[in-house]
């Protein structure tokens, strides 16, 4: 679907992939895509609007301490966030959890398929509630309290930073040029703020 969309955009714009200088990604925040060590998806993505995780949210507050959790992550644990989804899989689908090696959000799975690299922007990292806002990176304390291996979490980047590059196979499938950079981008809320700033300055 992504390949078809890219080809369609290029065709409707009347330009070739050689004209594209870079790619950026945005998408709905807080989802969960679990991959095994070979980078294959282990189960269908659990999206932000899935509300099955209230008991896991309560467990997070109990394990970390609600006030301490807020101080580290800037949020209470809510059902839409990624961390309780990981715990839900652990408790309800232990066979899937046992095979997990990588945690991505849906848009970052698209990045992985475009580039072969695991990466996430810092805004979406914060939206997992596994992030230390002051350090702007994964919280070792929260990850340890929830028994989530840090090795599962991708490297994080500022939204404007380049994370990886379009590979040869993707270039063939999409019409883009191999080697063009893919920026970290941001979740929908972060990207929306950029739109607001641009509108104000326009």
């Amino acid at each position: 679907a992504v390949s078809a969309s890219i080809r369609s955009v290029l065709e409707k714009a009347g330009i070739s992939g050689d004209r594209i200088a870079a790619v950026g990604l945005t998408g709905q925040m807080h989802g969960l895509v679990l991959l095994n060590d070979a980078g294959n998806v282990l189960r269908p993505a659990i999206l932000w609007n899935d509300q099955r995780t209230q008991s896991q949210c309560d467990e997070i507050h109990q394990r970390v301490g609600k006030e301490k959790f807020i101080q580290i992550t800037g949020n209470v644990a809510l059902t839409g966030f990624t961390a309780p989804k990981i715990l839900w899989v652990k408790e309800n689908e232990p066979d899937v959890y046992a095979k997990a090696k990588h945690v991505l959000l849906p848009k970052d799975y698209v990045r992985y398929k475009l580039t072969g690299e695991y990466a996430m922007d810092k805004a979406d990292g914060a939206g997992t509630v596994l992030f230390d806002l002051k350090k702007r990176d994964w919280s070792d304390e929260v990850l340890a309290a929830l028994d989530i291996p840090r090795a599962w979490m991708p490297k994080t980047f500022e939204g404007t930073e380049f994370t990886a590059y379009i590979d040869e196979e993707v270039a063939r499938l999409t019409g883009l040029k191999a080697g063009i950079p893919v920026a970290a981008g941001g979740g929908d809320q972060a990207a929306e703020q950029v739109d607001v700033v641009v509108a104000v300055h326009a």
Side-chain angles (χ1 to χ4, degrees):
V2 171
S3 296
S5 295
I6 293 171
R7 286 189 172 278
S8 176
V9 167
L10 292 173
E11 181 181 349
K12 288 178 180 177
I15 61 174
S16 72
D18 291 341
R19 295 273 309 278
I20 305 300
V23 173
L25 297 170
T26 187
Q28 293 177 332
M29 301 174 75
H30 315 312
L32 172 63
V33 179
L34 282 175
L35 309 178
N36 65 13
D37 56 358
N40 297 319
V41 175
L42 291 170
R43 68 167 332 279
I46 304 178
L47 302 184
W48 69 272
N49 53 346
D50 192 307
Q51 302 295 303
R52 73 182 85 176
T53 60
Q54 184 58 57
S55 65
Q56 286 76 32
C57 292
D58 297 338
E59 181 181 351
I60 288 170
H61 289 155
Q62 183 178 16
R63 287 199 197 184
V64 181
K66 187 173 182 178
E67 291 305 316
K68 189 173 189 179
F69 187 78
I70 293 170
Q71 288 300 314
I72 295 171
T73 69
N75 285 287
V76 295
L78 299 175
T79 53
F81 292 144
T82 307
K85 292 171 170 46
I86 297 171
L87 296 188
W88 186 92
V89 172
K90 183 178 183 179
E91 293 173 20
N92 293 276
E93 299 176 353
D95 291 346
V96 171
Y97 189 85
K99 298 173 185 175
K101 295 296 181 184
H102 302 280
V103 170
L104 293 176
L105 301 192
K107 87 169 194 321
D108 298 311
Y109 177 69
V110 172
R111 180 199 320 280
Y112 167 66
K113 296 300 286 185
L114 289 174
T115 68
E117 297 292 332
Y118 302 109
M120 188 182 296
D121 67 278
K122 292 183 185 291
D124 262 337
T128 67
V129 291
L130 294 169
F131 216 67
D132 185 321
L133 291 187
K134 293 176 183 174
K135 294 180 180 177
R136 298 184 68 74
D137 203 357
W138 303 113
S139 169
D140 290 320
E141 186 172 359
V142 172
L143 288 168
L146 304 183
D147 297 320
I148 298 172
R150 186 184 173 112
W152 290 8
M153 310 310 294
K155 185 176 178 182
T156 64
F157 296 80
E158 298 295 344
T160 55
E161 288 185 288
F162 292 143
T163 60
Y165 300 87
I166 297 293
D167 67 27
E168 294 284 351
E169 175 65 11
V170 168
R172 184 183 66 78
L173 292 171
T174 62
L176 294 173
K177 181 174 58 177
I180 66 170
V182 178
D188 52 355
Q189 292 295 309
E192 180 182 77
Q193 298 312 306
V194 174
D195 289 343
V196 169
V197 171
V198 170
V200 168
H201 288 285

